[in-house]
Amino acid sequence: MPVFEKNCPNSNQIRAARWLLGWGQNEAVKCTNTSLSSLRRYEGLKPDQNPYDHLRPSIIERIVDGFKNAGIEFLNSEDSLGVTLRTSSELSKKS
């Protein structure tokens, strides 16, 4: 699986982040301040497709930032890809 520029999460990671948070697409768009069509476009990409080839950088940044603010951490390296949900005590330390 390729690692995209700026360690951008792939579509599987975005869907997994929503699942970890228990969010439907409508809740995700509210929390990321994006449109439903943008989120669907992102989630509809194949995992090896670079989101920057299909979405504006500002949309990607809002989606990623929204998930990060909710406690999601995207793991993107040559060795591993994943998604973790930080605990509320971990979020308090970062504030």
Side-chain angles (χ1 to χ4, degrees), residues 42-80:
Y42 198 150
E43 290 187 350
L45 297 174
K46 294 178 183 173
D48 61 348
Q49 289 181 296
N50 187 342
Y52 283 98
D53 292 340
H54 302 274
L55 295 161
R56 289 192 320 256
S58 62
I59 299 292
I60 295 168
E61 289 167 14
R62 280 196 305 232
I63 291 172
V64 172
D65 288 346
F67 281 112
K68 286 181 177 180
N69 290 338
I72 292 293
E73 183 176 349
F74 295 104
L75 309 173
N76 292 309
S77 71
E78 293 295 326
D79 299 329
S80 62

Side-chain angles (χ1 to χ4, degrees), residues 11-90:
S11 56
N12 286 346
Q13 289 174 289
I14 295 296
R15 285 190 301 274
R18 267 197 319 107
W19 183 86
L20 281 172
L21 292 166
W23 289 356
Q25 287 183 328
N26 289 327
E27 187 168 358
V29 297
K30 288 177 192 170
C31 296
T32 60
N33 195 28
T34 56
S35 68
L36 185 56
S37 62
S38 292
L39 181 65
R40 285 183 174 162
R41 195 168 341 150
Y42 198 150
E43 290 187 350
L45 297 174
K46 294 178 183 173
D48 61 348
Q49 289 181 296
N50 187 342
Y52 283 98
D53 292 340
H54 302 274
L55 295 161
R56 289 192 320 256
S58 62
I59 299 292
I60 295 168
E61 289 167 14
R62 280 196 305 232
I63 291 172
V64 172
D65 288 346
F67 281 112
K68 286 181 177 180
N69 290 338
I72 292 293
E73 183 176 349
F74 295 104
L75 309 173
N76 292 309
S77 71
E78 293 295 326
D79 299 329
S80 62
L81 291 173
V83 179
T84 60
L85 177 60
R86 293 187 304 266
T87 63
S88 41
S89 62
E90 289 176 299

